[in-house]
């Protein structure tokens, strides 16, 4: 059994704050502070450029990739860190399209994160091969998979509603139609059990600043199925993905295995923070996390529906059909969320009308769920959201 009292003590959350936004940015792991101080003083400060070898900086992307890989069912040597998720989407989609020439359609859905769709549009534009991005409703994806589809590109958990796709079934259907798959696990990694190998995904990508608590702007990951490791062509052929980066050849030759998905110099300080953050997962069973997350989400849904009837549930009621987040809709969602934040209950807002709450059993329990609902009930009952300051839109929502 996972000891959630132990994991809770590993995070620094300000006194009195109810933090239900770990699905957007995880809180600070206590261990990260000492790690950063040590990387700065003992590694960079002491060794300077020698740090790449003596402190093992050059191996961080691979070593941490394997740590993240263990959380998503990826075998060793198939996952690597670097860049942002948008870049990893580009790499994965470009490689998948390259492995499946002669087809015209990139299939995705309207629940995908816009950056993934924008990246696909940009890539299709620069390839100039007559490719087309087809966007269907999430419930229509399965029926839209046919022999014209080159790549099925989906985010497993919808960022807005929390809807969970069946990665294994959709991948099987895609493969039977001759398509490859690219899965975005931004809202899955650390949120629920993921098995990229068991689902037979071709490529998977994700970020580490949400449920993996790697900090703002933490590096992303990319997984490549073992069968594609030596054939996937890196579209972003940077020097660290070269077979011999320090030979400084004039021509690119892709590195072996997952190393070819490296691009440039890794963010050593950010990777070190992430490395410290991942220690929290030692001794944690993802099945226990899933069970606790479903319990917390169920409790939140039941209490909000009972005490705040003006809010409309936007997330699946069946725990098996959603990720680790719950959203409610209301035309004044933005102001309601601002009023919550002003009372130290932190969630976020996603246009046009969704207030979104993430449930992260590593550091959130029933007490926080009930505390948040009590504040929300008060805000709705007394229309506390209807003040000018709560209607003023900030750039980041
Ligand atoms: C599902 C999904 N994909 C892609 C992105 C973009 O990630 P990044 O800003 O790290 O490139 C996000 C950001 O939140 C996301 O939620």
């Amino acid at each position: 059994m996972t000891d959630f009292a132990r994991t809770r003590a590993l995070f620094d959350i300000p006194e009195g704050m109810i933090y239900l936004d770990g699905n957007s940015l995880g809180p600070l792991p206590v261990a990260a502070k000492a790690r950063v101080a040590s990387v700065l003083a003992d590694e960079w400060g002491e060794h300077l450029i020698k740090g790449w070898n003596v402190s093992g900086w050059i191996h961080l992307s691979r070593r941490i990739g394997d740590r993240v890989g263990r959380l998503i069912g990826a075998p060793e040597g198939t996952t690597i860190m670097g860049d942002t998720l948008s870049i990893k989407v580009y790499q994965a989609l470009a490689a998948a399209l390259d492995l499946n020439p002669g087809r015209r359609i990139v299939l995705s859905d309207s629940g995908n994160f816009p950056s993934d769709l924008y990246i696909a549009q940009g890539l299709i534009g620069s390839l100039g091969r007559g490719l087309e991005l087809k966007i269907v409703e999430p419930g229509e994806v399965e029926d839209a998979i046919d022999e014209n589809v080159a790549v099925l590109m989906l985010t497993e958990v919808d960022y807005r509603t929390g809807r969970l796709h069946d990665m294994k079934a959709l991948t099987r259907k895609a493969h039977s139609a001759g398509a490859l798959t690219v899965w975005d696990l931004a809202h899955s990694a650390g949120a629920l059990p993921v098995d990229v190998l068991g689902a037979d995904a071709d490529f998977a990508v994700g970020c580490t600043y949400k449920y993996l608590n790697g900090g703002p702007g933490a590096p992303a990951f990319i997984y490549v199925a073992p069968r594609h490791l030596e054939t996937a062509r890196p579209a972003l052929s940077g020097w660290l993905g070269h077979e011999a980066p320090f030979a400084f050849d004039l021509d690119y030759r892709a590195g072996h295995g997952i190393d070819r998905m490296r691009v440039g110099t890794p963010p050593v300080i950010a990777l070190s923070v992430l490395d410290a953050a991942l220690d929290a997962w030692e001794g944690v069973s993802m099945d226990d996390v899933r069970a606790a997350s479903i319990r917390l989400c169920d409790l939140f849904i039941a209490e909000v529906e009972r005490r705040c009837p003006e809010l409309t549930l936007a997330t699946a009621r069946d725990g098996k059909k959603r990720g680790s987040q719950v959203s409610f809709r209301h035309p004044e969602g933005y102001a309601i969320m601002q009023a919550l934040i002003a009372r130290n209950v932190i969630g976020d807002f996603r246009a046009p009308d969704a207030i979104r709450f993430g449930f992260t059993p590593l550091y959130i329990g029933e007490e926080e769920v009930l505390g948040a609902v009590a504040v929300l009930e008060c805000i709705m009952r007394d229309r506390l959201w209807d003040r000018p300051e709560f209607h003023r839109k900030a750039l980041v929502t």
Side-chain angles (χ1 to χ4, degrees):
M1 277 294 278
T2 301
D3 180 356
F4 288 118
R6 181 193 72 84
T7 56
R8 174 184 287 249
L10 301 175
F11 294 93
D12 226 353
I13 298 175
E15 195 62 42
M17 178 184 283
I18 297 181
Y19 194 68
L20 303 181
D21 214 3
N23 55 313
S24 200
L25 174 68
L28 173 66
V30 177
K33 292 194 244 181
R35 180 69 68 89
V36 166
S38 162
V39 170
L40 294 183
D42 309 330
E43 298 185 7
W44 181 18
E46 195 64 29
H47 301 306
L48 287 96
I49 193 76
K50 293 180 296 176
W52 288 105
N53 290 315
V54 301
S55 300
W57 294 344
I58 198 67
H59 302 300
L60 280 176
S61 312
R62 265 300 279 275
R63 188 170 65 69
I64 298 174
D66 282 336
R67 294 194 80 183
V68 171
R70 284 196 280 281
L71 298 174
I72 58 163
E76 211 143 285
T78 57
T79 308
I80 198 157
M81 311 306 301
D83 318 297
T84 74
L85 176 49
S86 303
I87 302 289
K88 271 16 212 172
V89 169
Y90 184 96
Q91 281 186 298
L93 182 58
L97 285 170
D98 204 59
L99 286 166
N100 206 6
R103 290 185 171 209
R104 238 176 35 79
I105 301 293
V106 174
L107 179 63
S108 192
D109 72 7
S110 57
N112 207 343
F113 192 75
S115 194
D116 296 34
L117 303 175
Y118 303 158
I119 289 285
Q121 287 160 13
L123 175 61
I124 284 170
S126 47
L127 286 175
R129 270 171 39 191
L131 290 160
E132 187 193 317
L133 174 64
K134 181 172 175 185
I135 301 172
V136 298
E137 291 304 304
E140 293 166 1
V141 169
E142 192 177 346
D143 288 343
I145 298 171
D146 62 24
E147 66 292 341
N148 296 312
V149 176
V151 178
L152 173 65
M153 180 189 77
L154 292 173
T155 293
E156 190 190 18
V157 176
D158 184 317
Y159 74 103
R160 214 161 8 202
T161 65
R163 182 190 207 279
L164 176 66
H165 273 307
D166 185 337
M167 176 156 67
K168 192 167 184 169
L170 289 174
T171 299
R172 193 183 312 119
K173 173 100 194 260
H175 286 172
S176 70
L180 297 189
T181 57
V182 172
W183 285 98
D184 183 334
L185 304 177
H187 301 268
S188 312
L192 62 150
V194 179
D195 183 5
V196 285
L197 190 68
D200 207 21
D202 295 281
F203 296 87
V205 293
C207 62
T208 59
Y209 42 75
K210 301 180 189 293
Y211 295 91
L212 300 181
N213 312 304
F221 64 85
I222 183 167
Y223 160 82
V224 178
R227 64 182 169 283
H228 300 313
L229 278 173
E230 295 298 333
T231 47
R233 196 181 62 80
L236 299 176
S237 40
W239 73 301
L240 284 184
H242 192 278
E243 186 183 26
F246 288 88
F248 298 106
D249 288 342
L250 296 187
D251 293 318
Y252 183 80
R253 293 190 309 280
H256 292 296
I258 196 66
D259 279 332
R260 65 182 51 197
M261 290 298 163
R262 285 176 190 261
V263 183
T265 305
V268 170
I269 297 166
L271 281 167
S272 304
V273 171
L274 175 60
D275 198 26
L278 291 172
D279 290 348
W281 294 94
E282 300 297 332
V284 169
S285 143
M286 202 54 90
D287 289 335
D288 291 347
V289 169
R290 180 65 169 153
S293 137
I294 289 179
R295 218 173 35 246
L296 294 175
C297 292
D298 281 348
L299 176 65
F300 185 73
I301 291 171
E303 287 297 303
V304 172
E305 290 196 317
R306 189 168 67 79
R307 292 158 68 175
C308 311
E310 317 87 312
L311 298 174
T312 308
L313 183 65
T315 301
R317 215 173 279 284
D318 177 354
K320 292 191 292 299
K321 296 195 170 148
R322 60 175 188 247
S324 200
Q325 63 183 70
V326 174
S327 298
F328 281 90
R329 294 191 197 285
H330 189 283
E332 296 294 345
Y334 182 80
I336 293 167
M337 183 50 70
Q338 294 313 301
L340 276 166
I341 293 170
R343 279 163 188 74
N344 232 358
V345 175
I346 316 294
D348 57 22
F349 170 78
R350 286 295 173 263
D353 58 2
I355 50 174
R356 190 174 73 150
F357 304 88
F359 294 89
T360 44
L362 289 196
Y363 51 86
I364 290 295
E366 260 183 37
E367 196 184 317
E368 284 85 4
V369 172
L370 296 176
V373 178
V375 176
L376 183 57
E377 181 183 25
C378 186
I379 287 171
M380 298 310 297
R381 189 192 54 222
D382 300 338
R383 288 177 67 92
L384 298 179
W385 50 266
D386 201 8
R387 293 199 191 143
E389 68 265 32
F390 297 145
H391 290 278
R392 251 190 313 271
K393 283 257 166 74
L395 188 58
V396 178
T397 64

